[in-house]
Amino acid sequence: MRIFVFVKNFALIFMDWMRQGVKSCWYMFKFMIPISIVVKILQETGLIVHIGNALSPLMKLMGLPGEMGLVWASSMIGNIYGGLVAYLQIAPNLEQPLTIAQVTVLSTIILIAHTFLIELVVTQRAGAKILPMFIIRFGFGFLAGVLMYWTYHFLDVLQGYPEVINTVLMGKKDPTLLEWGITQLKSYGFLFLWITALIILLDILKRTGIIDKINGWLAPILRILGIGKDVIPITVIGMTLGLAYGGALIINGVNQDGLKKRDVLYALVLMAICHSIIEDSLLLMSVGAHYTGVFVFRIVFALIITYIFVKITSKWSEEKMAKWFYAKN
């Protein structure tokens, strides 16, 4: 009898996990699929080149060749891989190769500002307006690049040339439309499995009390930033795995747990500047970026900016926050 009750309860819990996974992913797929098509059109028509040219003056303020504007534009309109493909095509033709410091600056601004057409919509669905989040990611990405450039230049460090030869994207050719379509379908399938697995993991951690322990460890740090303990688990996932995954869980959390809009916004600001700190950082290091930029500087910079943002807005009324930052979902 006990076994029957256990199986029945587990089946109900499992069905709830699947329901949450389908609901969260369907909510995202409704805008991710058309946006992916738009990005592909921009890439195929060459319109992205004009955006890169417009960024050229800003790149020089960060100590980078103007041609790197196309790399950053490819990352923001497409994704990090698109930016790296552009980098591998442009870098060999530069008059002078990029130093380790320059590669690190370029990599860090890419890590802060990339995949806008999808990730900005994810943050909107999670509760933040698109324009403020765009300004935060693009503006602070640029500021980070300027600060890093002058820091490395003043200290006269990392001025040598990378010895690392990227092996991740070497020989990677532009896919046909069919190959691109198949890749997209595989990505959506993987995204569903991964997000559902994260939902299950979070629920198990909550039921076993591990979440409470994690909250206890991280609460003092995030409390200083002004981030509520209810969004700590999702914030940690977003910072380590990325906005697509963390954003989906925040969307699910907002719907399921009724998280406070202010806490969600502060978590999104932190994740916007610093997310996917493991996978994406290692990927950029494969082309010569230094850990002091993609890991240390980015984390510290994100914490400082979030702290300042919270301090400035903590006294604001909910009406004022809604006017400037909260999305109407």
Side-chain angles (χ1 to χ4, degrees), residues 118-130 133 137 243 247 268 272 327 329:
I118 290 178
E119 292 186 350
L120 287 178
V121 179
V122 169
T123 56
Q124 180 194 39
R125 301 292 185 181
K129 288 184 176 180
I130 286 181
M133 295 306 293
R137 293 188 64 181
L243 268 180
L268 288 172
N329 292 330

Side-chain angles (χ1 to χ4, degrees), residues 30-246:
K30 286 191 295 185
F31 61 83
M32 286 183 67
I33 293 174
I35 287 175
S36 297
I37 295 173
V38 170
V39 170
K40 185 63 176 176
I41 293 173
L42 288 174
Q43 293 172 335
E44 292 296 322
T45 57
L47 294 176
I48 199 170
V49 175
H50 299 293
I51 300 175
N53 292 336
L55 292 173
S56 179
L58 295 182
M59 308 310 292
K60 294 178 180 179
L61 293 176
M62 293 183 283
L64 297 169
E67 294 92 331
M68 292 298 103
L70 178 58
V71 177
W72 199 18
S74 299
S75 300
M76 288 188 287
I77 302 299
N79 52 37
I80 291 179
Y81 286 94
L84 287 181
V85 169
Y87 172 76
L88 292 176
Q89 293 173 346
I90 296 173
N93 299 316
L94 294 174
E95 293 184 5
Q96 188 172 358
L98 297 185
T99 64
I100 299 174
Q102 288 176 308
V103 175
T104 304
V105 169
L106 177 63
S107 298
T108 303
I109 65 174
I110 287 175
L111 288 170
I112 294 175
H114 62 264
T115 324
F116 276 172
L117 294 185
I118 290 178
E119 292 186 350
L120 287 178
V121 179
V122 169
T123 56
Q124 180 194 39
R125 301 292 185 181
K129 288 184 176 180
I130 286 181
L131 182 57
M133 295 306 293
F134 168 79
I135 294 173
I136 287 171
R137 293 188 64 181
F138 179 80
F140 286 120
F142 172 68
L143 177 61
V146 173
L147 291 176
M148 290 182 65
Y149 163 61
W150 284 108
T151 300
Y152 288 140
H153 179 74
F154 179 77
L155 297 176
D156 193 28
V157 295
L158 304 183
Q159 300 304 312
Y161 301 106
E163 297 180 0
V164 179
I165 299 177
N166 180 62
T167 58
V168 178
L169 298 170
M170 292 299 290
K172 189 172 184 176
K173 65 182 189 309
D174 293 333
T176 64
L177 287 177
L178 178 59
E179 291 172 338
W180 174 81
I182 293 173
T183 300
Q184 293 299 305
L185 290 175
K186 289 181 179 178
S187 298
Y188 297 141
F190 175 78
L191 186 61
F192 167 73
L193 294 175
W194 190 241
I195 289 176
T196 303
L198 290 175
I199 288 173
I200 294 173
L201 176 61
L202 271 180
D203 192 47
I204 292 174
L205 293 177
K206 287 179 181 178
R207 293 172 183 271
T208 56
I210 295 177
I211 285 293
D212 293 333
K213 293 183 179 179
I214 294 176
N215 288 346
W217 297 333
L218 297 177
I221 298 175
L222 296 184
R223 191 182 299 118
I224 295 175
L225 298 179
I227 296 176
K229 63 183 182 64
D230 291 337
V231 297
I232 290 176
I234 304 172
T235 304
V236 172
I237 288 177
M239 291 184 68
T240 54
L241 299 179
L243 268 180
Y245 303 133

Side-chain angles (χ1 to χ4, degrees), residues 245-266:
Y245 303 133
L249 292 177
I250 282 187
I251 292 171
N252 185 68
V254 169
N255 294 332
Q256 296 290 325
D257 304 324
L259 301 176
K260 295 180 180 179
K261 289 184 178 181
R262 191 179 291 262
D263 287 339
V264 170
L265 175 66
Y266 292 158

Side-chain angles (χ1 to χ4, degrees), residues 127-129 261-262 265 318 321-328:
K129 288 184 176 180
K261 289 184 178 181
R262 191 179 291 262
L265 175 66
E318 286 299 298
M321 293 293 287
K323 178 181 179 181
W324 291 100
F325 295 111
Y326 296 161
K328 296 179 180 179

